[in-house]
Amino acid sequence: RSGIYRRCRSCATITAMNTPKATSMEQLISLCKRRGFIYQGSEIYGGLAGTWDYGPLGVALKRNIQNAWWKMFVTSREDMYGVDAAIIMNPNVWKASGHVAGFSDPLVECTKCKRRFRADHLDNVTTCPECGGTLGESRQFNMMFKTSVGALETEDSTAYLRPETAQGMFVNFKNVVDSFYPDLPFGLAQQGKAFRNEISPRDFVFRSREFEQMEIEYFVDPRDEELVGKVFDELFDEQMKFLSTLGISKDNIHKIEVPESDRAHYSKRSIDTEYDFPFGQKELLGLAYRTDYDLNAHIKGSGEDLSYFDEEKKERFVPHCIEPTFGIDRLILAVLSESYKVEGEGDEARVFLAFPPALAPVKVCVSPLLKNKIELVEKAQGLFSSLKKRFGAVAWDDNGNVGKRYRRQDEIGTPFCVVVDFDTLGEPSAQAGNPELLDTVTVRHRDTGEQERVAIGDLEKYIEERIK
Ligand code: ATP
């Protein structure tokens, strides 16, 4: 069967999904490696399945997304508290949360080639999709990575790398309440690494074994059901708003109201947001009404009182929790796939990444028209230094001709290229001589290829206004 299909985990119904977009994963992966966004993890040793390393431009893009998220969900709000909990937690956290017993995926192994697959990702659970051999019985495989804490490796020293950041917030609920006395509703927010021993990591950074999440645990008073519903809807709207700030088009986003049979056991309502990745429509982020499941689990597991005291009504209760969750790596993949544009065909084709300027790893590239004309180079270097001081993410390029430099910057998504030429110096060139252009530069725009003349004195303000 050609096309992309989705198999429901519980009823096994197979539904056709949107066809993949023109951008192929090969194009994206190759650009990411060539231009220093994302490399295979431990590449010189042949790699390690399910791990990826972010290069200089990838880490810049990632930070820009993380910072935009932190600003929107934490610093610009009055009801959010940031935390950064340890990755390795007391193993009892994972016993209480249910992960030790139940954080597993169904695994099947081929009796012939011994390859392993996630049973719920297969259309046919009896035949190996690789060699046609017979698949064995499905069994549950726990995805938590184990490690050992301390000098002696014993049963008691077993600990886990966190498979989600969420629990770091539940275990700090009481700490934050005791330090800040927040009124409900309020949320805890965290960004950080999560680790899952995925049965079959695939699709570039979409499904890896080490990845990053940005999560919010938003606590509400369960006695006001209407408010709970309103908060749930508002958080969904905020998720959509965030995607739009990343330049992700509504047309490529799908809201999936997860049916009860498909929801995690702790969730009373879940919305998965799926995106049309080049390999098909898949989960990008989620929103779950986790009720009081986690706080109650930790009350039971730790013996601590994690209830909340309502001063006004003089009542004590366990708050409910709504969780918006974002996978950073999947967002990066969506942003890359959304931004990847090709204009023209064959050797003439122009590839550019149309990032929203605020996300672009490099905001401006400065260059002298000619590399061997000292006056041009000195003037351009002065401009480069002052822009670098102001914006940080500024590049210098004096290699090859201007056209080639534009192509290179297009490929990494630099929104503006600034060129210092003879007019800048007040020395009219043969082609275009206009003394009125003294101390102006050419600003070339990535998406349209258009060029305009901007006075050096206005340049910082000009850029500032366009990269917000
Ligand atoms: P899936 O069904 O695709 O395995 P999930 O439902 O298990 O995902 P959650 O447990 O809801 O995922 O995790 C929250 C978010 O973390 C996901 O929406 C996704 O963005 C991200 N995420 C989960 N697993 C991975 C992974 N293996 N690699 C990269 N990101 C991941």
Side-chain angles (χ1 to χ4, degrees):
R1 238 180 335 200
S2 62
I4 304 290
Y5 295 83
R6 181 176 210 261
R7 181 192 178 84
C8 173
R9 282 189 196 185
S10 48
C11 66
T13 308
I14 294 171
T15 343
M17 293 283 108
N18 289 3
T19 47
K21 283 197 297 204
T23 315
S24 75
M25 281 309 282
E26 287 71 34
Q27 283 171 312
L28 269 187
I29 295 170
S30 136
L31 185 139
C32 282
K33 177 174 163 52
R34 194 157 33 84
R35 302 310 313 272
F37 282 91
I38 304 172
Y39 309 113
Q40 190 186 5
S42 326
E43 193 178 351
I44 61 168
Y45 286 95
L48 177 68
T51 65
W52 298 94
D53 293 346
Y54 284 82
L57 297 184
V59 75
L61 176 61
K62 190 194 252 194
R63 289 266 157 88
N64 291 341
I65 294 176
Q66 288 172 309
N67 291 344
W69 187 91
W70 197 260
K71 187 168 169 216
M72 177 166 166
F73 288 102
V74 184
T75 51
S76 68
R77 297 178 60 131
E78 288 171 25
D79 55 349
M80 290 284 189
Y81 298 81
V83 296
D84 187 9
I87 287 175
I88 301 173
M89 305 175 79
N90 186 311
N92 289 328
V93 169
W94 305 109
K95 286 183 190 141
S97 67
H99 284 78
V100 171
F103 191 65
S104 48
D105 274 339
L107 175 143
V108 280
E109 191 175 282
C110 174
T111 50
K112 196 168 150 203
C113 71
K114 304 291 174 207
R115 283 196 183 89
R116 293 170 161 199
F117 306 93
R118 238 177 93 168
D120 59 331
H121 282 173
L122 297 176
D123 283 349
N124 176 346
V125 286
T126 53
T127 312
C128 174
E130 295 288 339
C131 76
T134 309
L135 294 175
E137 279 289 293
S138 164
R139 64 183 168 89
Q140 289 300 318
F141 171 76
N142 193 300
M143 292 198 290
M144 281 200 295
F145 278 101
K146 274 188 191 163
T147 186
S148 184
V149 173
L152 280 180
E153 209 171 306
T154 66
E155 183 94 330
D156 292 342
S157 68
T158 299
Y160 305 92
L161 302 190
R162 68 180 179 205
E164 61 175 26
T165 61
Q167 300 304 323
M169 290 178 272
F170 293 120
V171 301
N172 279 294
F173 172 80
K174 186 173 174 351
N175 283 335
V176 174
V177 169
D178 290 349
S179 311
F180 298 89
Y181 308 106
D183 288 330
L184 284 176
F186 71 90
L188 303 188
Q190 177 166 225
Q191 300 182 336
K193 292 263 184 177
F195 303 83
R196 295 183 188 179
N197 199 0
E198 293 278 357
I199 295 165
S200 42
R202 62 168 81 165
D203 297 324
F204 199 25
V205 295
F206 177 84
R207 188 173 301 288
S208 42
R209 290 184 167 136
E210 175 175 341
F211 55 97
E212 261 179 274
Q213 293 184 318
M214 305 190 282
E215 296 193 298
I216 293 165
E217 305 308 325
Y218 198 77
F219 297 99
V220 289
D221 182 341
R223 298 167 302 180
D224 189 344
E225 278 187 29
E226 202 177 309
L227 181 76
V228 175
K230 192 167 154 261
V231 168
F232 189 92
D233 293 341
E234 279 169 6
L235 288 170
F236 178 77
D237 292 345
E238 290 293 291
Q239 286 189 307
M240 296 305 106
K241 215 159 100 193
F242 183 66
L243 291 184
S244 114
T245 66
L246 301 187
I248 293 176
S249 148
K250 270 200 190 115
D251 299 343
N252 297 326
I253 295 172
H254 308 273
K255 176 181 178 181
I256 311 288
E257 187 78 54
V258 184
E260 193 180 348
S261 54
D262 240 4
R263 284 200 296 263
H265 58 286
Y266 52 73
S267 177
K268 209 165 160 185
R269 185 182 173 196
S270 290
I271 294 180
D272 281 354
T273 296
E274 298 190 340
Y275 176 76
D276 292 324
F277 288 99
F279 43 84
Q281 183 181 322
K282 295 270 172 70
E283 176 177 330
L284 175 60
L285 34 103
L287 180 67
Y289 178 17
R290 292 178 83 128
T291 66
D292 53 3
Y293 174 83
D294 301 88
L295 286 182
N296 274 336
H298 292 302
I299 289 171
K300 231 165 124 193
S302 68
E304 290 282 335
D305 180 7
L306 306 181
S307 62
Y308 178 89
F309 187 65
D310 181 341
E311 292 286 350
E312 218 172 89
K313 296 187 183 145
K314 304 287 176 224
E315 282 173 12
R316 192 166 269 290
F317 58 91
V318 177
H320 277 205
C321 177
I322 300 169
E323 177 196 72
T325 175
F326 303 71
I328 303 178
D329 312 81
R330 289 187 187 181
L331 285 174
I332 289 174
L333 192 51
V335 167
L336 282 167
S337 120
E338 190 85 28
S339 308
Y340 190 96
K341 312 269 182 225
V342 184
E343 209 181 66
E345 279 174 30
D347 289 348
E348 293 300 302
R350 178 171 87 95
V351 172
F352 62 104
L353 294 178
F355 294 138
L359 297 188
V362 177
K363 311 288 185 217
V364 190
C365 174
V366 180
S367 55
L369 181 69
L370 299 174
K371 192 180 175 172
N372 51 11
K373 180 87 177 160
I374 188 75
E375 294 89 336
L376 288 176
V377 174
E378 280 176 356
K379 186 84 177 173
Q381 272 172 346
L383 189 56
F384 168 73
S385 302
S386 59
L387 291 178
K388 180 94 185 142
K389 213 184 251 169
R390 175 79 184 264
F391 300 112
V394 179
W396 170 266
D397 190 356
D398 58 7
N399 274 323
N401 63 39
V402 174
K404 287 212 175 105
R405 294 177 207 158
Y406 289 160
R407 292 288 170 111
R408 273 197 294 274
Q409 295 303 319
D410 284 345
E411 259 201 341
I412 62 166
T414 307
F416 306 105
C417 286
V418 167
V419 179
V420 169
D421 57 21
F422 292 102
D423 286 331
T424 316
L425 304 178
E427 281 179 31
S429 62
Q431 297 87 352
N434 186 351
E436 282 175 20
L437 296 180
L438 172 69
D439 277 335
T440 63
V441 286
T442 296
V443 176
R444 186 263 189 185
H445 295 253
R446 174 197 63 199
D447 299 349
T448 56
E450 272 168 22
Q451 303 186 7
E452 62 181 313
R453 218 56 211 183
V454 177
I456 288 180
D458 298 336
L459 195 58
E460 286 193 10
K461 189 160 166 269
Y462 177 96
I463 293 166
E464 178 91 67
E465 281 168 359
R466 287 163 177 79
I467 62 171
K468 269 186 218 148

